[in-house]
Amino acid sequence: MSDLSFVRTEMLPEKAPPASEIGIVGWLRHNLFSGWVNSILTIISLAAIYGVLSVLIPYVFLSVWNAESLNECREIMNETWGSSHGHACWAVINERWLQLLFGFYPPEFYWRPILSLVLLVVALAPILYSDRVSSKLLIVTALYPFIMPWLMWGGSVWGTVSVAFGFVAGYLVLKYATEALGELFAMIAGAVVAIVWWLFIAGMFVGAMDAILPIALETVQSRKFGGFMLAILLGVVAIGCSLPIGIVLALGRQSHLPIVKWLCVCFIEFIRGVPLITLLFVASLLLNIFLPPGTNFDIILRVMIMVTLFASAYMAEVIRGGLAALPRGQYEGADSLGLDYWQSQRLIIMPQALKISIPGIVSTFIGVFKDTTLVSIIGLFDVIGLTHAIRADTAWNGIYWELFAFIALLFFIVCFSMSRYSMYLERKLRTDHK
Amino acid sequence: MSELSTAREIDRSKMQVSDEVAIEINNMNKWYGTFHVLRDINLTVNQGERIVIAGPSGSGKSTLIRCLNALEEHQKGKIVVDGTELSNDLKNIDKIRREVGMVFQHFNLFPHLSILENLTLAPIWVRKTPRKEAEETAMHFLEKVKIPEQADKFPGQLSGGQQQRVAIARSLCMKPRIMLFDEPTSALDPEMIKEVLDTMIELAEEGMTMLCVTHEMGFARQVANRVIFMDAGQIVEQNEPEEFFNNPQSERTKLFLSQILGH
Ligand SMILES: Nc1ncnc2c1ncn2[C@@H]1O[C@H](COP(=O)(O)OP(=O)(O)O)[C@@H](O)[C@H]1O
Ligand SMILES: [Mg+2]
């Protein structure tokens, strides 16, 4: 090694890469034209994209916004572009968008679903953005399940208050009787108090209060409900209820008590084994046979229950997957510290299991939300049902694409938001390499 | 395995064994299905004792100490911990778990909670300590295990040795009277073993009653007042560390020691 004649003592500075490697040209070379196979694929793809866009852009943007009927639309298109094909007739949306959104809900009361939606955002904010929104807003979240039905269906405010009061009474009994009776009996006592209140006392209470201080919103019948509003209503209820029910079912399925376990397994497997549409037919037709004649069991309520049960069964399985992914050490760590079953579930197990399950949970949410369109088959006027109603009008007979494009857009906005939120949440909850 | 080379002398002033019985095990037996994993275990541990349990893999060491806080259920015999008999009574189990801390091979920290939250969780929910007080206690123990600056991080951001020290601190926050260790250093890289053992030595110096399953024979020599050797679900022999290492009685112990000490 001694006869080395030259040793570099300083490193040469890095050279700037040649122009062909950077900038747009470099990017194109690397990503689109690296090798001739890729170049051919790129060219084919570009041709395909051009083909689609050259039809789609004129269809969407060279379109008719103001017309009374499909025929008028076509005449305008013929005059303007010389052909009635290849151009959208958005006039139908322009004329009917309120109906597509609200169904047959009375227009003078549109403020009620709109207010419900605004309150929904307020109620969700402290849950969805718990780190940025004051937890004081949780009071809205707690009241929302009572306010929303009152706003949507109307009726005496005292009915709502009495329903809420049943929950409060049951909770108070549970809270103050736990020490005296133990958890299980306090729970039973709480449930009994609430049920007795609802069945026997609430009616008198409502009657008395209405006589003293009548505050009521005009009632809106369930058959007036429809449009995208119905999808959101069903979706929110099913999503909101299926998560807690799913958690309970998933825990029940893991229970050491055989009866609890088998009840949960049977429920989950039965619901998952049956198509939603069957359950909806049961809700709309069969229940009428089983219920005593004359009972007026609201059709939307029945559908809500079925969609919720359906979603809960799927949710239970998604959450069970999350539970199974947790190492046993987490249970043992919690046990060894003396946490009891509910504490360790609530503080240790569920937060982690739910976090693992976020993608599955949100997929289920999205699936359920889209499945709400199936109610059109049992005769409810959700957005899909309304397209039939709109086509039944001779003015719009024969119009399809524009309506479905609009519906697709509505669903896409909601579903895409859910999907983005779940990605945000996953990022936020990452605790390993922050 | 590695001999401990602690620079300082161990302070034995508080390492006194009292007459008070901490744990009493009488003719305890346990089966997994038909597999008889623990046979006729008899053991009395006094308050202040530091016991090291050694033995080949699969001999039932983990099962034994996991029975002491009812992570595993025993089927026959009697276990009394700190004056409370372990039975199916959930109240007793909860009571014992509050008094007995446990440190696991794989730490079992809660990854979704910060270090501070890991430490304050049980005091707040189980002992009903006010949050502020629980946080002060937690910081006190984090300082003791020498990582107070990590309080706001998450377990996944710490090294293995740090995580295990957090796990020890987490148990200490419940102010237990007895500490169980199940191979606390086996999952650690060699350079981190010492920091965890140092923490355990300090704990011993303060007079904590400790049962440690470990293969750290240096630790056993320096800290333990009794070494127990288990094989095939039985306690084969037990003795003071000097006697145990220099003068093992049974053939199985000799074989085990020759393997583990590499002679
Ligand atoms: N949950 C279990 N079910 C069945 N067998 C088990 C279970 N846990 C441990 N064992 C068996 O019991 C024996 C003792 O295990 P363990 O106490 O973990 O041993 P050690 O900690 O001494 O290595 C081993 O043979 C192991 O395979
Ligand atoms: Mg073991």
Side-chain angles (χ1 to χ4, degrees), chain A residues 65-91:
Chain A
W65 279 91
N66 293 300
E68 296 283 300
S69 69
L70 186 57
N71 283 335
E72 196 187 329
C73 255
R74 290 199 172 131
E75 277 164 30
I76 298 175
M77 287 175 201
N78 269 330
E79 281 167 27
T80 326
W81 299 293
S83 100
S84 63
H85 296 290
H87 301 280
C89 176
W90 298 125

PDB file of all heavy atoms in Angstrom, chain A residues 65-91:
ATOM      1  N   TRP A  65     -79.695  23.593 -19.361  1.00  0.00           N
ATOM      2  CA  TRP A  65     -80.038  23.777 -17.957  1.00  0.00           C
ATOM      3  C   TRP A  65     -81.476  24.241 -17.752  1.00  0.00           C
ATOM      4  O   TRP A  65     -82.013  24.080 -16.672  1.00  0.00           O
ATOM      5  CB  TRP A  65     -79.086  24.777 -17.298  1.00  0.00           C
ATOM      6  CG  TRP A  65     -77.796  24.129 -16.922  1.00  0.00           C
ATOM      7  CD1 TRP A  65     -76.686  24.049 -17.673  1.00  0.00           C
ATOM      8  CD2 TRP A  65     -77.527  23.428 -15.710  1.00  0.00           C
ATOM      9  NE1 TRP A  65     -75.716  23.340 -17.024  1.00  0.00           N
ATOM     10  CE2 TRP A  65     -76.217  22.947 -15.797  1.00  0.00           C
ATOM     11  CE3 TRP A  65     -78.280  23.143 -14.566  1.00  0.00           C
ATOM     12  CZ2 TRP A  65     -75.629  22.212 -14.787  1.00  0.00           C
ATOM     13  CZ3 TRP A  65     -77.680  22.417 -13.545  1.00  0.00           C
ATOM     14  CH2 TRP A  65     -76.367  21.959 -13.669  1.00  0.00           C
ATOM     15  N   ASN A  66     -82.028  24.850 -18.786  1.00  0.00           N
ATOM     16  CA  ASN A  66     -83.380  25.382 -18.608  1.00  0.00           C
ATOM     17  C   ASN A  66     -84.312  24.839 -19.671  1.00  0.00           C
ATOM     18  O   ASN A  66     -84.161  25.155 -20.851  1.00  0.00           O
ATOM     19  CB  ASN A  66     -83.355  26.908 -18.681  1.00  0.00           C
ATOM     20  CG  ASN A  66     -82.620  27.496 -17.503  1.00  0.00           C
ATOM     21  OD1 ASN A  66     -83.005  27.301 -16.354  1.00  0.00           O
ATOM     22  ND2 ASN A  66     -81.518  28.182 -17.795  1.00  0.00           N
ATOM     23  N   ALA A  67     -85.236  23.989 -19.248  1.00  0.00           N
ATOM     24  CA  ALA A  67     -86.248  23.471 -20.167  1.00  0.00           C
ATOM     25  C   ALA A  67     -87.384  22.922 -19.331  1.00  0.00           C
ATOM     26  O   ALA A  67     -87.219  22.606 -18.153  1.00  0.00           O
ATOM     27  CB  ALA A  67     -85.651  22.382 -21.063  1.00  0.00           C
ATOM     28  N   GLU A  68     -88.527  22.803 -19.941  1.00  0.00           N
ATOM     29  CA  GLU A  68     -89.712  22.344 -19.219  1.00  0.00           C
ATOM     30  C   GLU A  68     -89.863  20.831 -19.282  1.00  0.00           C
ATOM     31  O   GLU A  68     -90.514  20.233 -18.454  1.00  0.00           O
ATOM     32  CB  GLU A  68     -90.969  22.984 -19.828  1.00  0.00           C
ATOM     33  CG  GLU A  68     -91.003  24.485 -19.691  1.00  0.00           C
ATOM     34  CD  GLU A  68     -91.376  24.902 -18.277  1.00  0.00           C
ATOM     35  OE1 GLU A  68     -92.485  24.535 -17.827  1.00  0.00           O
ATOM     36  OE2 GLU A  68     -90.553  25.564 -17.609  1.00  0.00           O
ATOM     37  N   SER A  69     -89.272  20.252 -20.340  1.00  0.00           N
ATOM     38  CA  SER A  69     -89.463  18.820 -20.521  1.00  0.00           C
ATOM     39  C   SER A  69     -88.297  18.257 -21.318  1.00  0.00           C
ATOM     40  O   SER A  69     -87.481  19.001 -21.868  1.00  0.00           O
ATOM     41  CB  SER A  69     -90.763  18.549 -21.282  1.00  0.00           C
ATOM     42  OG  SER A  69     -90.602  18.998 -22.608  1.00  0.00           O
ATOM     43  N   LEU A  70     -88.254  16.935 -21.380  1.00  0.00           N
ATOM     44  CA  LEU A  70     -87.188  16.283 -22.133  1.00  0.00           C
ATOM     45  C   LEU A  70     -87.259  16.660 -23.607  1.00  0.00           C
ATOM     46  O   LEU A  70     -86.242  16.896 -24.256  1.00  0.00           O
ATOM     47  CB  LEU A  70     -87.301  14.763 -21.952  1.00  0.00           C
ATOM     48  CG  LEU A  70     -86.177  13.931 -22.568  1.00  0.00           C
ATOM     49  CD1 LEU A  70     -84.832  14.359 -22.033  1.00  0.00           C
ATOM     50  CD2 LEU A  70     -86.417  12.456 -22.289  1.00  0.00           C
ATOM     51  N   ASN A  71     -88.483  16.758 -24.151  1.00  0.00           N
ATOM     52  CA  ASN A  71     -88.630  17.125 -25.563  1.00  0.00           C
ATOM     53  C   ASN A  71     -88.080  18.513 -25.837  1.00  0.00           C
ATOM     54  O   ASN A  71     -87.381  18.739 -26.826  1.00  0.00           O
ATOM     55  CB  ASN A  71     -90.103  17.059 -25.972  1.00  0.00           C
ATOM     56  CG  ASN A  71     -90.516  15.608 -26.187  1.00  0.00           C
ATOM     57  OD1 ASN A  71     -89.659  14.764 -26.474  1.00  0.00           O
ATOM     58  ND2 ASN A  71     -91.802  15.336 -26.028  1.00  0.00           N
ATOM     59  N   GLU A  72     -88.387  19.429 -24.911  1.00  0.00           N
ATOM     60  CA  GLU A  72     -87.881  20.778 -25.102  1.00  0.00           C
ATOM     61  C   GLU A  72     -86.353  20.784 -25.078  1.00  0.00           C
ATOM     62  O   GLU A  72     -85.704  21.436 -25.887  1.00  0.00           O
ATOM     63  CB  GLU A  72     -88.440  21.694 -24.009  1.00  0.00           C
ATOM     64  CG  GLU A  72     -88.286  23.162 -24.352  1.00  0.00           C
ATOM     65  CD  GLU A  72     -88.690  24.062 -23.197  1.00  0.00           C
ATOM     66  OE1 GLU A  72     -89.587  23.670 -22.414  1.00  0.00           O
ATOM     67  OE2 GLU A  72     -88.082  25.136 -23.063  1.00  0.00           O
ATOM     68  N   CYS A  73     -85.820  20.005 -24.161  1.00  0.00           N
ATOM     69  CA  CYS A  73     -84.361  19.845 -24.078  1.00  0.00           C
ATOM     70  C   CYS A  73     -83.801  19.441 -25.435  1.00  0.00           C
ATOM     71  O   CYS A  73     -82.834  20.011 -25.940  1.00  0.00           O
ATOM     72  CB  CYS A  73     -84.025  18.736 -23.094  1.00  0.00           C
ATOM     73  SG  CYS A  73     -83.404  19.318 -21.529  1.00  0.00           S
ATOM     74  N   ARG A  74     -84.438  18.425 -26.022  1.00  0.00           N
ATOM     75  CA  ARG A  74     -83.906  17.878 -27.274  1.00  0.00           C
ATOM     76  C   ARG A  74     -83.990  18.909 -28.383  1.00  0.00           C
ATOM     77  O   ARG A  74     -83.087  19.018 -29.219  1.00  0.00           O
ATOM     78  CB  ARG A  74     -84.688  16.618 -27.654  1.00  0.00           C
ATOM     79  CG  ARG A  74     -84.364  15.496 -26.678  1.00  0.00           C
ATOM     80  CD  ARG A  74     -84.719  14.132 -27.228  1.00  0.00           C
ATOM     81  NE  ARG A  74     -84.205  13.122 -26.316  1.00  0.00           N
ATOM     82  CZ  ARG A  74     -84.915  12.104 -25.849  1.00  0.00           C
ATOM     83  NH1 ARG A  74     -86.165  11.931 -26.250  1.00  0.00           N
ATOM     84  NH2 ARG A  74     -84.373  11.239 -25.031  1.00  0.00           N
ATOM     85  N   GLU A  75     -85.091  19.673 -28.384  1.00  0.00           N
ATOM     86  CA  GLU A  75     -85.206  20.719 -29.413  1.00  0.00           C
ATOM     87  C   GLU A  75     -84.083  21.725 -29.282  1.00  0.00           C
ATOM     88  O   GLU A  75     -83.442  22.104 -30.263  1.00  0.00           O
ATOM     89  CB  GLU A  75     -86.558  21.435 -29.284  1.00  0.00           C
ATOM     90  CG  GLU A  75     -87.685  20.695 -29.975  1.00  0.00           C
ATOM     91  CD  GLU A  75     -89.047  21.181 -29.515  1.00  0.00           C
ATOM     92  OE1 GLU A  75     -89.149  22.380 -29.150  1.00  0.00           O
ATOM     93  OE2 GLU A  75     -89.986  20.366 -29.498  1.00  0.00           O
ATOM     94  N   ILE A  76     -83.827  22.147 -28.038  1.00  0.00           N
ATOM     95  CA  ILE A  76     -82.753  23.125 -27.830  1.00  0.00           C
ATOM     96  C   ILE A  76     -81.424  22.560 -28.303  1.00  0.00           C
ATOM     97  O   ILE A  76     -80.645  23.223 -28.984  1.00  0.00           O
ATOM     98  CB  ILE A  76     -82.674  23.529 -26.350  1.00  0.00           C
ATOM     99  CG1 ILE A  76     -83.985  24.192 -25.921  1.00  0.00           C
ATOM    100  CG2 ILE A  76     -81.492  24.455 -26.099  1.00  0.00           C
ATOM    101  CD1 ILE A  76     -84.064  24.525 -24.461  1.00  0.00           C
ATOM    102  N   MET A  77     -81.181  21.285 -27.970  1.00  0.00           N
ATOM    103  CA  MET A  77     -79.914  20.663 -28.382  1.00  0.00           C
ATOM    104  C   MET A  77     -79.804  20.635 -29.893  1.00  0.00           C
ATOM    105  O   MET A  77     -78.760  20.961 -30.459  1.00  0.00           O
ATOM    106  CB  MET A  77     -79.832  19.229 -27.854  1.00  0.00           C
ATOM    107  CG  MET A  77     -79.589  19.132 -26.378  1.00  0.00           C
ATOM    108  SD  MET A  77     -79.654  17.412 -25.891  1.00  0.00           S
ATOM    109  CE  MET A  77     -79.978  17.579 -24.161  1.00  0.00           C
ATOM    110  N   ASN A  78     -80.911  20.247 -30.564  1.00  0.00           N
ATOM    111  CA  ASN A  78     -80.890  20.194 -32.023  1.00  0.00           C
ATOM    112  C   ASN A  78     -80.564  21.543 -32.625  1.00  0.00           C
ATOM    113  O   ASN A  78     -79.785  21.642 -33.565  1.00  0.00           O
ATOM    114  CB  ASN A  78     -82.240  19.705 -32.548  1.00  0.00           C
ATOM    115  CG  ASN A  78     -82.230  18.188 -32.694  1.00  0.00           C
ATOM    116  OD1 ASN A  78     -81.174  17.609 -32.949  1.00  0.00           O
ATOM    117  ND2 ASN A  78     -83.387  17.573 -32.522  1.00  0.00           N
ATOM    118  N   GLU A  79     -81.193  22.582 -32.054  1.00  0.00           N
ATOM    119  CA  GLU A  79     -80.945  23.919 -32.594  1.00  0.00           C
ATOM    120  C   GLU A  79     -79.510  24.346 -32.370  1.00  0.00           C
ATOM    121  O   GLU A  79     -78.867  24.919 -33.236  1.00  0.00           O
ATOM    122  CB  GLU A  79     -81.878  24.941 -31.924  1.00  0.00           C
ATOM    123  CG  GLU A  79     -83.284  24.937 -32.485  1.00  0.00           C
ATOM    124  CD  GLU A  79     -84.236  25.705 -31.591  1.00  0.00           C
ATOM    125  OE1 GLU A  79     -83.768  26.624 -30.880  1.00  0.00           O
ATOM    126  OE2 GLU A  79     -85.437  25.361 -31.586  1.00  0.00           O
ATOM    127  N   THR A  80     -78.988  24.060 -31.151  1.00  0.00           N
ATOM    128  CA  THR A  80     -77.671  24.577 -30.802  1.00  0.00           C
ATOM    129  C   THR A  80     -76.539  23.766 -31.394  1.00  0.00           C
ATOM    130  O   THR A  80     -75.597  24.299 -31.969  1.00  0.00           O
ATOM    131  CB  THR A  80     -77.506  24.595 -29.269  1.00  0.00           C
ATOM    132  OG1 THR A  80     -78.770  24.879 -28.687  1.00  0.00           O
ATOM    133  CG2 THR A  80     -76.491  25.634 -28.850  1.00  0.00           C
ATOM    134  N   TRP A  81     -76.607  22.417 -31.216  1.00  0.00           N
ATOM    135  CA  TRP A  81     -75.461  21.605 -31.617  1.00  0.00           C
ATOM    136  C   TRP A  81     -75.782  20.667 -32.772  1.00  0.00           C
ATOM    137  O   TRP A  81     -74.954  19.890 -33.186  1.00  0.00           O
ATOM    138  CB  TRP A  81     -74.964  20.783 -30.433  1.00  0.00           C
ATOM    139  CG  TRP A  81     -74.516  21.664 -29.292  1.00  0.00           C
ATOM    140  CD1 TRP A  81     -73.437  22.499 -29.293  1.00  0.00           C
ATOM    141  CD2 TRP A  81     -75.151  21.800 -28.029  1.00  0.00           C
ATOM    142  NE1 TRP A  81     -73.350  23.155 -28.097  1.00  0.00           N
ATOM    143  CE2 TRP A  81     -74.399  22.752 -27.286  1.00  0.00           C
ATOM    144  CE3 TRP A  81     -76.279  21.240 -27.443  1.00  0.00           C
ATOM    145  CZ2 TRP A  81     -74.731  23.137 -25.998  1.00  0.00           C
ATOM    146  CZ3 TRP A  81     -76.596  21.617 -26.158  1.00  0.00           C
ATOM    147  CH2 TRP A  81     -75.836  22.564 -25.443  1.00  0.00           C
ATOM    148  N   GLY A  82     -77.000  20.700 -33.209  1.00  0.00           N
ATOM    149  CA  GLY A  82     -77.350  19.911 -34.374  1.00  0.00           C
ATOM    150  C   GLY A  82     -77.636  18.458 -34.095  1.00  0.00           C
ATOM    151  O   GLY A  82     -77.982  17.711 -34.988  1.00  0.00           O
ATOM    152  N   SER A  83     -77.483  18.047 -32.866  1.00  0.00           N
ATOM    153  CA  SER A  83     -77.873  16.672 -32.563  1.00  0.00           C
ATOM    154  C   SER A  83     -78.358  16.623 -31.134  1.00  0.00           C
ATOM    155  O   SER A  83     -77.872  17.356 -30.284  1.00  0.00           O
ATOM    156  CB  SER A  83     -76.702  15.714 -32.759  1.00  0.00           C
ATOM    157  OG  SER A  83     -76.127  15.423 -31.517  1.00  0.00           O
ATOM    158  N   SER A  84     -79.354  15.774 -30.871  1.00  0.00           N
ATOM    159  CA  SER A  84     -79.897  15.738 -29.519  1.00  0.00           C
ATOM    160  C   SER A  84     -79.134  14.748 -28.654  1.00  0.00           C
ATOM    161  O   SER A  84     -79.401  14.610 -27.487  1.00  0.00           O
ATOM    162  CB  SER A  84     -81.377  15.385 -29.549  1.00  0.00           C
ATOM    163  OG  SER A  84     -81.514  14.088 -30.089  1.00  0.00           O
ATOM    164  N   HIS A  85     -78.197  14.024 -29.255  1.00  0.00           N
ATOM    165  CA  HIS A  85     -77.438  13.062 -28.457  1.00  0.00           C
ATOM    166  C   HIS A  85     -76.130  13.662 -28.013  1.00  0.00           C
ATOM    167  O   HIS A  85     -75.626  14.612 -28.603  1.00  0.00           O
ATOM    168  CB  HIS A  85     -77.188  11.789 -29.278  1.00  0.00           C
ATOM    169  CG  HIS A  85     -78.468  11.095 -29.610  1.00  0.00           C
ATOM    170  ND1 HIS A  85     -79.229  10.461 -28.674  1.00  0.00           N
ATOM    171  CD2 HIS A  85     -79.137  10.994 -30.792  1.00  0.00           C
ATOM    172  CE1 HIS A  85     -80.312   9.971 -29.253  1.00  0.00           C
ATOM    173  NE2 HIS A  85     -80.282  10.287 -30.535  1.00  0.00           N
ATOM    174  N   GLY A  86     -75.594  13.093 -26.951  1.00  0.00           N
ATOM    175  CA  GLY A  86     -74.277  13.531 -26.516  1.00  0.00           C
ATOM    176  C   GLY A  86     -74.287  14.802 -25.716  1.00  0.00           C
ATOM    177  O   GLY A  86     -73.240  15.400 -25.489  1.00  0.00           O
ATOM    178  N   HIS A  87     -75.480  15.233 -25.290  1.00  0.00           N
ATOM    179  CA  HIS A  87     -75.522  16.413 -24.431  1.00  0.00           C
ATOM    180  C   HIS A  87     -76.478  16.151 -23.290  1.00  0.00           C
ATOM    181  O   HIS A  87     -77.540  15.571 -23.477  1.00  0.00           O
ATOM    182  CB  HIS A  87     -75.966  17.644 -25.221  1.00  0.00           C
ATOM    183  CG  HIS A  87     -75.053  17.937 -26.370  1.00  0.00           C
ATOM    184  ND1 HIS A  87     -73.863  18.586 -26.233  1.00  0.00           N
ATOM    185  CD2 HIS A  87     -75.156  17.622 -27.698  1.00  0.00           C
ATOM    186  CE1 HIS A  87     -73.261  18.676 -27.403  1.00  0.00           C
ATOM    187  NE2 HIS A  87     -74.031  18.086 -28.314  1.00  0.00           N
ATOM    188  N   ALA A  88     -76.064  16.605 -22.084  1.00  0.00           N
ATOM    189  CA  ALA A  88     -76.902  16.325 -20.919  1.00  0.00           C
ATOM    190  C   ALA A  88     -78.053  17.306 -20.850  1.00  0.00           C
ATOM    191  O   ALA A  88     -77.944  18.447 -21.279  1.00  0.00           O
ATOM    192  CB  ALA A  88     -76.066  16.412 -19.653  1.00  0.00           C
ATOM    193  N   CYS A  89     -79.166  16.827 -20.299  1.00  0.00           N
ATOM    194  CA  CYS A  89     -80.308  17.693 -20.075  1.00  0.00           C
ATOM    195  C   CYS A  89     -80.430  17.922 -18.572  1.00  0.00           C
ATOM    196  O   CYS A  89     -81.209  17.271 -17.887  1.00  0.00           O
ATOM    197  CB  CYS A  89     -81.568  17.022 -20.628  1.00  0.00           C
ATOM    198  SG  CYS A  89     -83.050  17.969 -20.304  1.00  0.00           S
ATOM    199  N   TRP A  90     -79.587  18.806 -18.055  1.00  0.00           N
ATOM    200  CA  TRP A  90     -79.599  19.047 -16.600  1.00  0.00           C
ATOM    201  C   TRP A  90     -80.851  19.792 -16.151  1.00  0.00           C
ATOM    202  O   TRP A  90     -81.049  20.018 -14.970  1.00  0.00           O
ATOM    203  CB  TRP A  90     -78.359  19.836 -16.172  1.00  0.00           C
ATOM    204  CG  TRP A  90     -77.046  19.133 -16.428  1.00  0.00           C
ATOM    205  CD1 TRP A  90     -76.001  19.617 -17.138  1.00  0.00           C
ATOM    206  CD2 TRP A  90     -76.646  17.845 -15.962  1.00  0.00           C
ATOM    207  NE1 TRP A  90     -74.963  18.721 -17.164  1.00  0.00           N
ATOM    208  CE2 TRP A  90     -75.341  17.613 -16.455  1.00  0.00           C
ATOM    209  CE3 TRP A  90     -77.259  16.840 -15.207  1.00  0.00           C
ATOM    210  CZ2 TRP A  90     -74.638  16.439 -16.208  1.00  0.00           C
ATOM    211  CZ3 TRP A  90     -76.545  15.673 -14.963  1.00  0.00           C
ATOM    212  CH2 TRP A  90     -75.266  15.473 -15.455  1.00  0.00           C
ATOM    213  N   ALA A  91     -81.672  20.158 -17.102  1.00  0.00           N
ATOM    214  CA  ALA A  91     -82.892  20.868 -16.741  1.00  0.00           C
ATOM    215  C   ALA A  91     -83.726  20.068 -15.743  1.00  0.00           C
ATOM    216  O   ALA A  91     -84.368  20.630 -14.854  1.00  0.00           O
ATOM    217  CB  ALA A  91     -83.712  21.156 -17.994  1.00  0.00           C
TER     218      ALA A  91
END
